[in-house]
């Protein structure tokens, strides 16, 4: 583990007097890196298409996979029907896309309810209720589902296979169901030494919290080897790559009223994101001079809102963009580091599924998307995405070794295994601005550990005890 590598060496102390011998130099490991995010790059953009195309492409791509899984689970002789070929009382399997009808789901008509003399909808964290209905649809028809399927856990856009029979009242009684499960996975190479990838999310630059900036500078100093003794510095040399997973800027930098104000009132004012981007560029300059850095955009960052979010423009980083070690990546992100495949998002897909299902744990939602073999099943229903029409790029064609999600409320990690021997490390990367915590992934063992930076906080001013500043693994 990283904490073992950074343990203080014998005879090494920050309080000892300087020695005349030459200070040791720790060379940082240089891993093999291969970006694999080409499928998330949007070329010529056209928003004239309907979103029905992406659902049709998703079902067309997933149908052969789910048909094979259904035959493995319920026997090779199971009847696979389309909705138009259903016969009442016949036991069969159907492959289709789930749609959850929710009365509490926000709509534009409810947002302008004052004009319609309707009662406004109260603010909610979750939008599920006991009146929700599950519907399965294919290219031609739809049918209401009942039976052995968790209605609250399911979300709109999931493609599954169900087994059961249609009743006389036109509803389908589900006896069992299955998902596409984990896709095929390449063999992970065996490394001879420990190498780490640092995952950080939710820097929140531009906020008013000074303790967050202090913790962030501690993080930069640790990675660049300017923090601690020789043990810490030798451990920092094993960090081969840094990945910033979205929400680099704070939500406070977005002035939502600026577009409605008269131009003469905003002529001499400067957007809050300008100073935050300058600060981000200076922090990146310290990092890229020492270690390769991948930068993903997030919900509050200056790029397109819909998924897949395109890389931030290099002109916003005049200082750090001159270094070849800076990689501006898309969201979702996919790459191979020393043969270990990383796949993840900045957290919008997980947070959206949390709002429209009964699942509360981000790790559980991550595993659910992996079992569904789809990064963002709720897009485009409740999560904005580009209107693809030939192929759904969010379908997982290859199983990652590390699957992460950013901007989580707390750190979490676990290893899950697939039916064909796949092994995946799930990681929820917490918001650094609120938790002061980053994650270190060991490429050799696929273990993950948090690194916390506690600093002076505004809440400590009211305490009688002396504030502390430390770094813990």
């Amino acid at each position: 583990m990283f904490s073992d590598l950074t343990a203080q060496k014998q005879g090494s102390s920050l309080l000892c007097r300087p020695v005349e011998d030459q200070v040791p130099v720790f060379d940082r490991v240089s891993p093999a890196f291969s970006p694999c995010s080409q499928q998330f790059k949007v070329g010529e953009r056209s928003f004239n298409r309907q979103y029905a195309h992406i659902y049709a492409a998703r079902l067309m791509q997933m149908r052969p996979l789910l048909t094979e899984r259904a035959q493995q689970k319920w026997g090779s002789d199971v009847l696979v029907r389309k909705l138009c070929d259903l016969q009442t009382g016949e036991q069969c399997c159907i492959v289709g896309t789930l749609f959850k009808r929710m009365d509490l789901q926000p709509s534009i008509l409810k947002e302008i309810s004052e004009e319609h003399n309707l009662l406004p909808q109260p603010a909610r964290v979750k939008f599920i209720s006991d009146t929700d209905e599950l519907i399965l649809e294919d290219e031609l028809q739809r049918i209401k589902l009942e039976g052995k399927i968790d209605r609250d856990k399911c979300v709109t856009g999931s493609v599954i296979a169900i087994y059961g029979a249609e009743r006389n009242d036109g509803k389908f009684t589900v006896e069992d169901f299955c998902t596409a499960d984990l896709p095929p996975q390449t063999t992970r190479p065996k490394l001879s030494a420990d190498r780490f990838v640092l995952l950080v999310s939710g820097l929140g630059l531009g906020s008013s919290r000074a303790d967050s900036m202090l913790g962030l500078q501690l993080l930069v100093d640790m990675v660049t080897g300017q923090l601690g003794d020789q043990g810490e510095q030798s451990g920092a040399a094993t960090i081969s790559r840094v990945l910033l997973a979205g929400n680099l800027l704070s939500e406070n930098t977005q002035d939502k009223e600026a577009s409605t104000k008269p131009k003469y009132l905003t002529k001499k004012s400067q957007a809050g994101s300008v100073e935050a981007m300058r600060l981000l560029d200076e922090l990146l300059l310290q990092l890229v001079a020492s270690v390769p850095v991948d930068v993903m955009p997030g919900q509050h960052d200056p790029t397109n809102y819909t998924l897949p979010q395109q890389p931030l423009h290099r002109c916003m980083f005049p200082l750090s963009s001159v270094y070849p070690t800076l990689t501006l990546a898309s969201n979702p992100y996919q790459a191979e580091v020393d043969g270990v495949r990383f796949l993840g998002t900045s957290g919008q897909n997980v947070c959206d599924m949390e709002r429209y299902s009964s699942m509360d744990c981000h790790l559980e939602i991550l595993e659910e998307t992996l079992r569904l073999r789809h990064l963002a099943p709720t897009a485009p229903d409740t999560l904005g995405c580009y209107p693809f029409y030939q192929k759904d790029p969010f379908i997982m064609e290859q199983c990652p070794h590390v699957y992460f999600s950013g901007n989580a409320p707390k750190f979490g990690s676990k290893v899950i295994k697939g039916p064909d021997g796949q092994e995946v490390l799930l990681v929820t990367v917490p918001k650094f601005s609120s938790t002061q915590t980053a994650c270190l992934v060991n490429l050799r063992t696929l273990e993950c550990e948090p690194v916390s930076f506690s600093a002076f906080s505004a809440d400590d001013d009211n305490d009688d005890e002396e504030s502390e500043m430390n770094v813990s693994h």
Side-chain angles (χ1 to χ4, degrees), residues 198-204 207 209-216 218-219 245-247 362 405-412 427-440 449-457 459 468 470-473:
L198 180 70
L199 303 178
V200 193
S201 179
L203 301 184
S207 64
R209 295 189 55 175
D211 60 321
S212 175
M213 284 304 304
L214 182 54
L216 184 56
L218 283 173
L219 170 67
N247 279 5
H362 282 217
S405 171
N407 297 287
K410 62 180 181 180
F411 166 77
V427 182
T428 55
V429 187
K431 290 183 180 179
F432 191 85
S433 58
S434 58
T435 63
Q436 309 270 302
T437 301
C439 309
L440 278 168
E449 61 177 318
V451 182
S452 300
F453 301 82
S454 60
F456 300 105
S457 174
D459 299 335
E468 296 181 354
N470 58 61
V471 179
S472 59
H473 305 125

Side-chain angles (χ1 to χ4, degrees), residues 81-364:
R81 299 281 194 186
K82 289 192 175 183
L83 289 178
C84 59
D85 300 326
L86 275 183
Q87 298 180 12
T88 304
E90 181 185 49
Q91 296 284 333
C92 62
C93 167
I94 307 173
V95 177
T97 306
L98 284 178
F99 170 72
K100 185 156 70 170
R101 179 180 290 151
M102 296 177 287
D103 293 336
L104 300 180
Q105 181 174 340
S107 70
I108 187 62
L109 292 179
K110 295 178 182 179
E111 292 180 8
I112 57 175
S113 58
E114 294 179 357
E115 299 180 10
H116 296 270
N117 295 321
L118 301 175
L119 291 176
Q121 189 178 21
R124 297 180 180 272
V125 179
K126 285 184 174 291
F127 299 98
I128 57 175
S129 67
D130 296 334
T131 60
D132 294 345
E133 296 178 346
L134 265 187
I135 297 172
L136 189 81
E137 59 183 28
D138 60 8
E139 299 92 341
L140 299 175
Q141 295 181 2
R142 54 167 48 185
I143 192 170
K144 189 178 295 185
L145 303 182
E146 291 183 353
K148 298 179 181 179
I149 185 170
D150 192 344
R151 177 194 60 197
D152 293 335
K153 186 177 180 181
C154 295
V155 292
T156 296
S158 305
V159 182
I160 64 172
I162 59 174
Y163 182 77
E166 182 186 11
R167 300 198 312 242
N168 292 327
D169 58 358
K171 298 180 181 178
F172 193 92
T173 301
V174 180
E175 297 180 6
D176 199 1
F177 72 96
C178 71
T179 61
D181 222 320
L182 277 64
Q185 187 182 54
T186 58
T187 304
R188 182 165 53 92
K190 295 182 179 180
L191 302 179
S192 58
D194 288 334
R195 298 179 184 177
F196 295 89
V197 171
L198 180 70
L199 303 178
V200 193
S201 179
L203 301 184
L205 299 177
S207 64
S208 58
R209 295 189 55 175
D211 60 321
S212 175
M213 284 304 304
L214 182 54
L216 184 56
Q217 189 59 52
L218 283 173
L219 170 67
V220 173
D221 290 343
M222 184 204 76
V223 175
T224 56
Q226 302 181 52
L227 188 69
D229 60 358
Q230 294 182 12
E232 290 278 354
Q233 293 170 359
S234 63
T238 60
I239 300 177
S240 59
R241 201 165 194 90
V242 175
L243 176 57
L244 304 181
N247 279 5
L248 311 171
L249 305 190
S250 169
E251 187 178 5
N252 300 333
T253 60
Q254 296 182 339
D255 188 4
K256 298 181 180 180
E257 299 179 356
S259 59
T260 60
K261 290 181 180 179
K263 294 296 182 183
Y264 68 89
L265 292 178
T266 60
K267 185 176 181 180
K268 296 184 179 180
S269 62
Q270 188 180 59
S273 58
V274 175
E275 182 64 23
M277 288 300 298
R278 185 191 63 80
L279 183 58
L280 174 62
D281 190 23
E282 293 177 353
L283 287 170
L284 287 176
L285 178 63
Q286 300 178 57
L287 285 173
V288 297
S290 175
V291 63
V293 180
D294 296 338
V295 180
M296 294 171 55
Q299 181 181 359
H300 307 313
D301 298 327
T303 185
N304 59 297
Y305 176 78
T306 57
L307 292 180
Q309 289 184 299
Q310 300 305 288
L312 297 170
H313 203 283
R314 301 189 72 87
C315 69
M316 292 187 284
F317 306 100
L319 301 178
S320 55
S321 61
V322 298
Y323 285 81
T325 49
L326 176 66
T327 302
L328 300 175
S330 62
N331 172 36
Y333 168 91
Q334 188 169 223
E336 286 190 3
V337 184
D338 271 341
V340 179
R341 179 171 286 261
F342 281 75
L343 175 65
T345 67
S346 297
Q348 295 102 313
N349 57 335
V350 175
C351 293
D352 193 68
M353 289 184 65
E354 182 183 15
R355 285 192 290 266
Y356 294 96
S357 71
S358 59
M359 296 180 287
D360 295 316
C361 177
H362 282 217
L363 275 179
E364 181 186 3

